[in-house]
Structures are given as structure tokens and as C-alpha cells.
Amino acid sequence: MHMKSAKQTTRTETARAAPERAQIGVQNPSRSRRVPPAARIVRWVRGALGDGAGAARAQITVRFVSRTEAAELNRRYRARDYAPNVLSFRYAERGAIVGDIVVCPAIVALEARAHDMSFESRLAHLVVHGILHLRGFDHASALDAQRMERLESRVVTALGHNDPWAGERAAHETMKTGNTSVPV
């Protein structure tokens, strides 16, 4: 019979006591050169995960794909025939956050230009958006959409990007109040 020394036992116990850390993978088969380094993507994911239940044990892959692959996944899993900007695939309803985020850089680039924002800011917003879906947030109702947008704004600005919803909130306030003046 092999006996462990006290030193070996202590090391084993210490290893078990170490906090769990989310496992986050980044894949770029699209080979888009605009996609920032994986470390930056991982920082965005961690920012969107927060400290909630399941975040420490999260297992997430962020995959950047071509329009063709994005459209195929959208057809197969959502019965929609177009390439979306982001898709979220949640594999666990309870416990650890487990899932994949699929992002199409070509669509992100088009949207960034249309919204007069940087590619990276739009991408950060969509990665955060996808992670919030994995956390269980949705925008099926107006109230759910407001909650999700507020949280996206908080996370994205904390990551150093502009509030992705600021323009829409300002336009909504203008329509509500009838104020069409532009602040100087």
C-alpha cells in the first residue's frame, strides 16, 4: 500500500480549493484579419459573464465564421435563410453557462459602417449580446429587450466602448418629447 506524505496531501487539497475559472475558446476559421486578438475577445466574454452563478464554471467558444457558414447555421437551427450577425447556442439550462457564440465578421463590418461605429465596438457589443443570451437573457418582449439593452450598455461601456444603445435612446426620447433640437 502506498501512503501519501503530508506534503503531497496538502498540495492535493490546495489544488481542490483553488477557484474554478471559466474555459473560453476563440476560433477564427473565417480568417478575418479584422478580428482582434483572442485575449481581447476573452476579456469581453469575461466582462459579460459577470460574477453570477455558473460564470466561474462557464465553458464557452466564440467562433468567427464566413457568411456561408453563418447562413447555413441560421437555416439549420432557426429556419431563416440569411447570414446573421451573431448566433448563440446554449447547451445547459441550469448550473454552469455552457454554449457557443457564432459571429460573422462580414456582417459585423456592414453593420459597423451603417451605424457609423468602429468594427471593434460593434463586435464587442455582439459578443456581449451573445453571452447575455447564454446567461438566459432574451429580447422577446419589450420589457426583456429593455433589460437586456441596459445590461449590454453597462458591460460594453465598462469594456471601454461607446454605449451601443445611446443613439436609439436619444431618438426615442426625441420622439417622446417632440424635442428635435440638437445639443451643442
Side-chain angles (χ1 to χ4, degrees):
M1 180 176 209
H2 179 64
M3 303 271 305
K4 290 183 181 178
S5 69
K7 194 173 187 176
Q8 287 174 323
T9 303
T10 303
R11 257 189 260 146
T12 303
E13 289 170 7
T14 303
R16 285 189 194 139
E20 295 182 76
R21 185 120 167 115
Q23 296 176 19
I24 303 165
V26 176
Q27 302 172 352
N28 188 7
S30 75
R31 301 201 191 281
S32 171
R33 293 184 180 155
R34 300 189 77 176
V35 173
R40 196 169 312 153
I41 306 298
V42 169
R43 187 171 70 83
W44 298 344
V45 170
R46 289 192 193 288
L49 281 173
D51 299 325
R57 295 173 307 164
Q59 297 175 23
I60 296 170
T61 298
V62 180
R63 181 177 171 86
F64 297 97
V65 300
S66 68
R67 283 184 193 200
T68 303
E69 185 174 348
E72 174 56 34
L73 290 168
N74 207 23
R75 254 189 310 280
R76 183 179 312 154
Y77 295 104
R78 296 179 65 222
R80 297 186 177 166
D81 196 22
Y82 62 90
N85 52 16
V86 64
L87 291 169
S88 298
F89 297 94
R90 187 174 171 197
Y91 305 123
E93 292 298 319
R94 298 183 189 268
I97 300 166
V98 180
D100 296 330
I101 305 297
V102 176
V103 183
C104 181
I107 301 299
V108 174
L110 290 173
E111 292 177 350
R113 280 192 295 277
H115 295 295
D116 196 30
M117 63 189 335
S118 74
F119 174 84
E120 188 164 321
S121 286
R122 182 66 179 151
L123 184 62
H125 173 216
L126 292 171
V127 169
V128 167
H129 181 87
I131 296 301
L132 293 182
H133 276 304
L134 295 185
R135 287 180 52 192
F137 288 89
D138 208 333
H139 41 79
S141 74
L143 183 59
D144 289 342
Q146 285 178 337
R147 283 187 193 128
M148 192 168 179
E149 288 168 10
R150 279 195 301 271
L151 186 52
E152 285 173 359
S153 293
R154 262 197 316 273
V155 172
V156 170
T157 56
L159 292 169
H161 294 277
N162 292 332
D163 181 348
W165 297 107
E168 292 206 20
R169 276 195 295 276
H172 180 71
E173 285 303 310
T174 299
M175 286 174 32
K176 203 163 69 174
T177 63
N179 181 2
T180 56
S181 63
V182 179
V184 215

